[in-house]
Amino acid sequence: MPITIDDVTAAADILDGVAHRTPVITSRLLDEAAGAQLFCKCENLQRMGAFKFRGAYTAISRLGPQRARGVVAFSSGNHAQAVALAASLFDIPATIVMPHDAPAAKVAATRGYGAQIVGYDRYTQDRQQVAAALAHRTGAAVLPPFDHPDVIAGQGTATLELLSDTDDLDAILIPLGGGGLLAGGLVAAAARAPGVAVYGVEPAAGDDGRRSLRAGRIVTIAPPRTIADGAQTTALGTHTFEIIAEYVTDILTATDEQLLAAMGLVATRTKMVVEPTGALGVAAALNNRDLFAGRRVGVIISGGNVDLDRFAAAAPLSADA
Ligand SMILES: *Cc1c(COP(=O)(O)O)cnc(C)c1O
């Protein structure tokens, strides 16, 4: 296996006092809607608004002497902001490669954490090559968004905390994009709560993880059309797939409509703003009663970064708001 529980607990030590220990919340009204007892780990309340701070900070802290030369990442989403914030805490330069047409709000947020933004043309250039060329020139380290042992270990600390703050869970639901959050969580659960069923949840339009699990090899799909922009990945990573294939109970999916309904429900019942990708686990809990009825279910709410226009569109779809 690419990482062990010792890597996850080492990451927890690194993050102690740096990352927020996010709350695990319960809501009687949410439980009524799900027909199960939900224990929501609120990574929407993490620094920069998503769990990705955990992996980015852990990976940078373990870089060694190369760290002074800075870091490079390619992302227009939460990984960009996570790397930018973590690099600023280490006082090292961060360069983020983003498409020229990335949303202005995301560019501004990333720049706000002190990162330098380098644009690329998403139709003619390969962002991975742009990042590699930059790193080659400056000696900076490229930080991948999910397929890196230190990133996986860092993300696993969210599930580690959920397990230590909640007794007797029957199942855990974890949003799935490239698989860093799920793989890290699986390693934590396998060591600390081996009887707990752990499910990944990915957008129905981008079910490459589910297909990969069935096929026994990494299946690559075209970029999926879904509002879950944090899980618009086209394939699992080599490391994340190895861990997921070994430990996961199953991979569930949620449609965009189910995500919007879940976002609206969470907002009305718990007063929290959750982004579409962050709502994958809640949506799966609401739509798989056969699996979860009457059970104690941990749900990782992975992020809360969504612009308010988009967020407001979710409210009318809420079941009976
Ligand atoms: C990145 C992201 C995910 C998916 O994480 P992976 O480690 O790529 O599987 C889920 N939710 C949010 C909010 C994210 O930013």
Side-chain angles (χ1 to χ4, degrees):
M1 284 293 120
I3 65 161
T4 69
I5 185 62
D6 293 340
D7 296 304
V8 182
T9 55
D13 289 340
I14 287 166
L15 292 169
D16 188 21
V18 183
H20 295 319
R21 188 173 182 110
T22 52
V24 177
I25 66 139
T26 57
S27 157
R28 190 177 53 79
L29 295 170
L30 208 53
D31 289 356
E32 269 172 25
Q37 266 183 284
L38 305 188
F39 299 84
C40 298
K41 173 72 171 165
C42 298
E43 287 295 297
N44 54 313
L45 304 178
Q46 185 51 264
R47 292 184 79 168
M48 55 63 55
F51 72 92
K52 284 209 172 65
F53 176 71
R54 296 174 181 269
Y57 190 91
T58 302
I60 292 176
S61 88
R62 296 179 65 109
L63 276 179
Q66 192 195 2
R67 184 163 76 214
R69 296 186 169 271
V71 289
V72 177
F74 46 88
S75 164
S76 50
N78 288 331
H79 181 59
Q81 291 173 57
V83 170
L85 172 58
S88 78
L89 296 175
F90 282 102
D91 209 14
I92 60 167
T95 308
I96 310 294
V97 178
M98 278 190 189
H100 290 306
D101 58 356
K106 296 229 158 126
V107 176
T110 307
R111 201 173 268 141
Y113 289 118
Q116 192 200 339
I117 312 294
V118 171
Y120 77 99
D121 182 339
R122 67 159 97 219
Y123 303 103
T124 61
Q125 286 181 295
D126 178 66
R127 61 184 195 169
Q128 215 154 337
Q129 278 170 11
V130 175
L134 271 169
H136 185 72
R137 212 169 57 232
T138 62
V142 178
L143 284 193
F146 50 82
D147 206 26
H148 184 295
D150 296 332
V151 172
I152 296 169
Q155 319 302 35
T157 60
T159 299
L160 191 69
E161 290 175 9
L162 170 65
L163 285 167
S164 81
D165 291 348
T166 318
D167 291 327
D168 300 324
L169 289 177
D170 297 304
I172 303 177
L173 296 169
I174 304 182
L176 170 60
L181 184 63
L182 176 59
L186 285 165
V187 171
R192 290 295 164 82
V196 178
V198 182
Y199 296 86
V201 188
E202 63 187 351
D207 66 341
D208 60 290
R210 190 184 171 97
R211 287 201 237 169
S212 301
L213 192 64
R214 302 283 184 271
R217 63 177 173 84
I218 299 171
V219 173
T220 302
I221 59 170
R225 282 178 185 275
T226 167
I227 58 166
D229 55 352
Q232 269 178 323
T233 41
T234 58
L236 299 176
T238 313
H239 297 310
T240 56
F241 176 71
E242 188 180 350
I243 295 169
I244 291 167
E246 172 75 15
Y247 293 123
V248 82
T249 301
D250 202 358
I251 295 175
L252 308 172
T253 62
T255 65
D256 282 2
E257 201 179 332
Q258 290 170 342
L259 292 177
L260 287 169
M263 288 165 70
L265 196 70
V266 169
T268 54
R269 301 299 190 257
T270 75
K271 318 305 168 197
M272 289 197 303
V273 174
V274 171
E275 66 182 274
T277 317
L280 280 163
V282 176
L286 293 169
N287 292 288
N288 291 276
R289 282 180 175 259
D290 51 326
L291 291 175
F292 305 122
R295 304 283 165 144
R296 294 169 63 85
V297 182
V299 179
I300 307 261
I301 294 184
S302 53
N305 292 326
V306 54
D307 41 75
L308 284 179
D309 290 351
R310 208 158 164 218
F311 182 75
L317 284 168
S318 161
D320 50 26

